[in-house]
Amino acid sequence: MEDQGRRDLLELVGPLYRLLRRAEERCANDAGLTMWQYAVLSVGARHEGLSQAQIADRLGYSRNRIIHDLDVLETRRLAERRAGTDRRRHSIHVTATGRDTVDEIRSAIWAAENDLLSPVPAAGRDSLQDILERALEVRP
């Protein structure tokens, strides 16, 4: 065996993930959305014109459940479905109000992340962000 002092990454990342998820849920709820509705809106704002199936796939979310979330987002005029070339496929477009909502929630999430990671120096937080982004680039 190699290093007995080393911990599995999931042992380290799992508790942090749960804390981050609770923070995101709280920030989305404060804006009157569920975490999933925020996630759908966020992906839609970052990748304009994706289909609802593509958004669900990017999030690892149910293609059936996203329908209700999009109904809520449309009712609140945060996003809209637009018919594509295939009548069965709609592209999702986030409205200006939806983009403002994403920005507000994202700012609150980033503040919560900063609070959570406050024991880590700013340079360490930047390194963590860079490491995680790089790790995700190489995944299949």
Side-chain angles (χ1 to χ4, degrees):
M1 286 205 139
E2 291 183 20
D3 185 355
Q4 293 295 322
R6 179 179 170 175
R7 293 169 33 182
D8 295 342
L9 288 176
L10 186 57
E11 180 184 358
L12 295 169
V13 175
L16 181 60
Y17 166 80
R18 287 188 291 280
L19 291 168
L20 291 168
R21 181 167 174 149
R22 278 197 295 267
E24 188 164 308
E25 285 173 345
R26 185 181 65 253
C27 294
N29 288 337
D30 288 349
L33 297 176
T34 67
M35 184 201 71
W36 286 110
Q37 289 163 353
Y38 162 70
V40 169
L41 199 60
S42 179
V43 169
R46 193 176 303 269
H47 305 282
E48 189 75 23
L50 290 179
S51 71
Q52 61 193 46
Q54 289 171 314
I55 293 174
D57 291 348
R58 283 177 185 247
L59 293 171
Y61 191 49
S62 166
R63 288 182 175 196
N64 292 325
R65 288 184 177 176
I66 197 173
I67 294 168
H68 171 72
D69 294 313
L70 286 167
D71 289 344
V72 170
L73 295 173
E74 275 194 307
T75 299
R76 292 191 53 190
R77 301 191 192 294
L78 301 175
E80 59 185 29
R81 294 176 181 109
R82 295 183 190 162
T85 54
D86 180 345
R87 286 186 289 174
R88 295 168 292 165
R89 180 181 162 145
H90 292 87
S91 60
I92 307 305
H93 297 268
V94 177
T95 65
T97 303
R99 288 180 187 285
D100 290 344
T101 301
V102 168
D103 290 344
E104 290 170 19
I105 295 171
R106 189 172 287 144
S107 292
I109 289 169
W110 289 353
E113 290 172 353
N114 287 338
D115 287 346
L116 181 64
L117 296 174
S118 63
V120 179
R125 285 182 245 161
D126 291 343
S127 294
L128 176 61
Q129 181 87 26
D130 185 54
I131 290 165
L132 293 173
E133 287 178 3
R134 287 177 188 230
L136 289 173
E137 286 175 5
V138 298
R139 72 174 199 173

